[in-house]
Amino acid sequence: MTYAFIIALIAAVVLGIAFYFQMKASNKQTEEQKQLLADYQRRVDEQQKLLDDYRSLEKNFDSVGEGYEQALLAFDKMNEEQDKARAANEALQQKVGALQTENGKLADKVKRQSDSLAQVVTDLKDIAAEAGNSKISALIGKLSDIDDLDADAPIDRTDNVMVTQIVDDAAKAAGADKVTYIQFTKDVAPDAAATMISTNAAKAARALTHLLDNALKFTTEGSVKVSAAVDMAKMQATYTVEDSGSGIAADDAERIFEPYVKLNQYFDGQGIGLTVARNIARRLGGDLVLDTAFAGPGARFVLTLPI
């Protein structure tokens, strides 16, 4: 009985040990299977990532391809537009060239006509001067004003005359010496009376004539005075026309020199006299301004010309 128990115990121990090792082997196999499964899952995840990356690259490639095709289309369109612009530019250049040619011909024609008109005006002036007809001289002066209204070319200063001659010629042309309803005076400084000026005598006298005409027109009583002085430091002659007429507001000091501006519509004239006078003065290298500091009554204009 004892042996049987011992044998059964031994068998139980052997079976227990065998079961232990079997369970241990089973657990190890399970761990290995889990590891294999984890490795497999990792490989699956890596393959999925590679697949996603591939699809992303494929999508980007498709986008790049579409962008490339769009770029090619845009480039072709740009070339087409450049060809059109080049053709339009060539056509425009041809038109510009033709217009420049026509403009040159027209300018040459206008210059010849202007030269012819200037010569006619000069001849008429000489005839009127010889005949002593002041009305014809006045009409000829108006013809010259039209030419001087918009001209911008410098005037040749080829005449060497006394400063006083400009005053005398302007006073005579304006008829200032013959007026009886006001007092007209000339005031020439001693140094001005002995100074010679290089200018265009006719144009300079014309500018001063406009100032005297303007003063006589707007002065119904009182006086008009023209003065002449020289400033050797500045090498210029100064002609001043002062009247006791209606005067001009300081706000209109520049506006009155604009063409066709008339501050008083009740007086005759086209409103170009002061415009022409300033234009002549500046083309002779001088200037013409309204003296806004003049206390009045009336107005004072200052014409400067280089000596």
Side-chain angles (χ1 to χ4, degrees), residues 207-208 211-212 214 225-229 234 236-243 248 253-254 256-257 274 277-278 281-282 286-294 299-305:
L208 188 57
L211 298 184
L212 289 173
N214 187 76
K225 181 175 72 173
V226 57
S227 304
K234 296 181 179 180
Q236 70 179 19
T238 301
Y239 297 92
T240 304
V241 175
E242 180 180 318
D243 64 66
I248 301 172
E254 285 300 314
I256 56 175
F257 292 107
L274 294 177
R278 171 178 274 189
R282 291 181 173 179
D287 202 0
L288 171 61
V289 297
L290 173 71
D291 184 1
T292 56
F294 181 60
R300 176 193 288 160
F301 287 89
V302 180
L303 168 68
T304 55
L305 296 174

Side-chain angles (χ1 to χ4, degrees), residues 141-164:
K142 291 181 178 180
L143 287 176
S144 298
D145 289 343
I146 296 174
D147 187 48
D148 285 323
L149 183 61
D150 297 316
D152 56 5
I155 300 175
D156 293 334
R157 297 158 50 200
T158 56
D159 298 328
N160 294 312
V161 296
M162 302 302 294
V163 170
T164 54

Side-chain angles (χ1 to χ4, degrees), residues 45-59:
D45 292 340
E46 291 176 350
Q47 289 177 353
Q48 184 63 42
K49 185 176 183 302
L50 290 174
L51 180 61
D52 292 341
D53 291 343
Y54 173 77
R55 288 175 178 173
S56 178
L57 288 173
E58 185 178 29
K59 185 178 180 180

